Structures are given as structure tokens and as C-alpha cells.
Amino acid sequence: MNVHVLFFASIREDLGCSKLLVVLQNSARISDLIKKLGREQGPNWLSVLGKESVKVAINKEIVNSDELLADGDEIAFLPPVTGG
């Protein structure tokens, strides 16, 4: 299955990447995606995407890391919101 992965703001800057097309096994979860990216892209990716403060959205809806992915999903990694 293919998923479209988007990285925003400080996450995009930390990784040096704004989007990827990723091929996953069926029945993959967000946590599986993060592990795969860490293996393929390097340990920095795992540390950036694995932070508890990072929010994840599937098809523009915030979800948790146990959420199942489907073919064609758009996954967005969002940094913590700061205000002032």
C-alpha cells in the first residue's frame, strides 16, 4: 500500500524534507511508518518523528500512533503548537 507523508514547520526543517511517498505492508500503523522511516532515512528521523509532542493526522484528522493506515492515506506530522 502507498501512503503520502507530509512534514510541516520545524519537523520539515529538522528532516530537510517536506513530503514522501512511502510503500508499507498492509495492516501498517502510524508507529510502523515511523519505525520504517527511521530505518530507511536514519536515526534522526526516528528521534524527530517519535517525540511525544509531535501530532499526527491521517486525512486531516488528528489520530494516535495505533491508528491503522489505508492505501492512499495522507499522513501529516505536525510540530507542537506554541503560542505567545
Side-chain angles (χ1 to χ4, degrees), residues 26-73:
N26 290 334
S27 301
R29 299 180 182 278
I30 293 290
S31 56
D32 299 321
L33 171 63
I34 293 170
K35 289 175 192 171
K36 178 180 175 78
L37 291 172
R39 282 191 311 272
E40 293 179 356
Q41 304 294 330
N44 181 52
W45 284 58
L46 189 58
S47 66
V48 169
L49 299 177
K51 290 180 183 173
E52 196 170 310
S53 60
V54 170
K55 300 295 182 204
V56 181
I58 298 176
N59 302 322
K60 300 181 181 168
E61 185 176 327
I62 300 292
V63 297
N64 65 45
S65 63
D66 288 334
E67 203 67 30
L68 277 172
L69 299 172
D71 189 43
D73 277 348

